[in-house]
Amino acid sequence: MGRATAFIDVHLADPLSVGDIARAARLSVRGLQNAFARVLDTTPAAYVRSARLAAVRAELVAAEPPQTTVADVARRWGFAHLPRFAQHYRAEFGEQPSETLRRSR
C-alpha cells in the first residue's frame, strides 16, 4: 500500500489509471483493488478522487479571488466534468466549491 499511495501523492495532478498505480505498487490490478479494500476500505479510484478533492479544497481556501475560478482549479486537478465534480465535492465537504472560494475572500 505504501508504494501505491506514495505514487498517487507524487502524481496526483497527472492522469492516473488503476493500471498505472498497480504497476508502481508492483501488484496486479486485482491485487491493488483487494489491498485498498482490505486496508483502506475504499477503491484506488475513490482514494485518488478524495485526494484530488482535498487538493482542490486547499487551493480554493488559499485562493486570491477574483483571479481564481472553481472551474480552473477543478480542471487543474483532473476534474473534467464540472457538475460531477461539484457533486463529489459537496458529498465530501458538505458545501459547494463556490462557497469555499467565497469564504477565502
Side-chain angles (χ1 to χ4, degrees), residues 64-103:
E64 294 285 333
Q67 298 89 345
T68 304
T69 68
V70 170
D72 288 342
V73 174
R75 285 189 188 104
R76 188 168 25 260
W77 287 101
F79 295 100
H81 190 271
L82 296 178
R84 191 172 305 129
F85 155 74
Q87 279 182 319
H88 288 299
Y89 190 96
R90 182 168 181 78
E92 188 88 6
F93 302 114
E95 67 182 10
Q96 294 296 336
S98 58
E99 294 174 276
T100 305
L101 181 59
R102 273 196 300 273
R103 281 201 327 250

Side-chain angles (χ1 to χ4, degrees), residues 1-2 5 31-43 47:
M1 286 302 307
T5 56
L32 180 74
Q33 291 168 333
N34 288 339
F36 266 80
R38 187 177 59 255
V39 175
L40 300 175
D41 195 30
T42 191
T43 66
Y47 181 90

